[in-house]
């Protein structure tokens, strides 16, 4: 699901689009087997996948490296150089300015300024770790703000994937575990709230 929804990410990925987040949430709910009334931030923190805007920013860095390594006589490279020149002259905010901001947020300014090829595996892993830490902090704060998840945050370790996600459980077993953890199991304690 994510590979299809992120297909245009290297070009349009800097902003958070609501449609890509909705696809992401729908895939998580289908995997966990939880209903639509499940708290979204709880589901996001259970599966622990990078949010769409983080994934696509990493794809933008990969695209940037491809552009740097491309021959200067190709039309794509010429457009990239024109885009970068516009950004450096301060004429307009472009794709290159978004790339520059990603590097600055991750303390990798030198990679952008030198415009030399770099080890994409190391850089992508470094950026992924920074994004993961940022996402975990965001999800922890969001879960603390939701009264329905007050029990969930007591036992949830936001830096780890829960063991029931990676174990070879049946769909029914995984669904029961997720519903119990996320407080959306239709037990009397839950259903009595709405009577």
């Amino acid at each position: 699901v994510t590979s299809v929804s992120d297909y245009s990410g290297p070009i349009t990925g800097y902003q958070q689009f609501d449609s890509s987040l909705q696809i992401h949430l729908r895939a998580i709910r289908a995997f966990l087997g939880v209903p639509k009334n499940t708290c979204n931030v709880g589901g996001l923190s259970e599966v622990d996948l990078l949010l769409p805007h983080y994934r696509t920013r990493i794809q933008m860095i990969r695209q940037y490296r491809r552009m740097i390594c491309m021959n200067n006589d190709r039309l794509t490279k010429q457009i990239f150089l024109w885009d970068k020149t516009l950004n450096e002259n301060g004429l307009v905010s472009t794709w290159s300015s978004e790339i520059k901001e990603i590097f600055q947020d991750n303390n990798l300014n030198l990679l952008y300024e030198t415009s030399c090829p770099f080890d994409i595996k190391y850089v992508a892993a470094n950026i992924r770790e920074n994004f993961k830490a940022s996402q975990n902090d965001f999800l922890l704060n969001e879960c603390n703000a939701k009264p329905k998840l007050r029990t969930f945050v007591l036992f949830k370790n936001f830096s780890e994937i829960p063991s029931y996600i990676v174990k070879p459980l049946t769909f029914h077993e995984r669904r029961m575990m997720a519903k119990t953890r996320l407080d959306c199991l239709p037990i009397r304690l839950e259903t009595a709230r709405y009577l």
Side-chain angles (χ1 to χ4, degrees):
V1 171
T2 57
S3 60
V4 174
S5 66
D6 296 345
Y7 183 72
S8 63
I11 307 303
T12 62
Y14 192 75
Q15 291 183 340
Q16 171 69 61
F17 293 102
D18 192 46
S19 57
S20 62
L21 183 60
Q22 291 305 318
I23 292 171
H24 185 76
L25 285 167
R26 189 177 296 174
I28 288 173
R29 282 196 302 263
F31 174 73
L32 293 177
V34 293
K36 288 182 180 179
N37 65 346
T38 304
C39 197
N40 289 339
V41 291
L44 289 171
S45 60
E46 277 294 89
V47 176
D48 202 33
L49 289 173
L50 274 179
L51 292 171
H53 68 280
Y54 288 138
R55 287 196 315 266
T56 52
R57 287 180 186 190
I58 292 171
Q59 290 177 350
M60 289 174 74
I61 297 300
R62 293 180 186 280
Q63 180 68 19
Y64 175 74
R65 187 187 180 279
R66 275 188 225 109
M67 299 303 262
I68 288 175
C69 296
M70 196 177 287
N71 292 331
N72 288 339
D73 58 346
R74 295 193 58 189
L75 179 61
T76 312
K77 180 67 175 272
Q78 291 172 8
I79 293 171
F80 165 71
L81 293 173
W82 172 67
D83 178 275
K84 194 167 184 186
T85 303
L86 287 175
N87 177 48
E88 289 171 353
N89 293 337
L91 298 174
V92 67
S93 180
T94 63
W95 186 81
S96 295
S97 60
E98 294 172 350
I99 293 291
K100 184 177 183 180
E101 191 171 329
I102 294 170
F103 279 125
Q104 286 175 346
D105 291 345
N106 292 283
N107 298 322
L108 297 169
N109 302 353
L110 191 62
L111 294 178
Y112 180 80
E113 292 166 4
T114 57
S115 296
C116 295
F118 50 87
D119 182 8
I120 190 61
K121 288 184 180 178
Y122 170 76
V123 171
N126 187 1
I127 291 174
R128 183 181 300 278
E129 288 301 315
N130 291 342
F131 284 163
K132 196 67 127 164
S134 173
Q135 176 177 302
N136 288 341
D137 292 342
F138 166 74
L139 291 174
L140 175 60
N141 292 335
E142 288 293 312
C143 286
N144 281 327
K146 304 286 183 188
K148 191 171 184 182
L149 296 177
R150 62 185 176 272
T151 307
F152 174 73
V153 295
L154 295 177
F155 58 81
K156 171 66 179 163
N157 184 352
F158 284 84
S159 60
E160 293 180 2
I161 299 175
S163 59
Y164 80 96
I165 297 289
V166 293
K167 286 185 177 176
L169 301 176
T170 65
F171 176 73
H172 180 70
E173 292 169 335
R174 185 171 59 239
R175 181 177 62 185
M176 287 298 123
M177 287 290 295
K179 283 184 172 184
T180 304
R181 287 173 60 96
L182 294 169
D183 288 335
C184 59
L185 192 64
I187 56 178
R188 185 65 180 161
L189 180 65
E190 286 289 317
T191 56
R193 293 180 184 184
Y194 308 107
L195 295 178

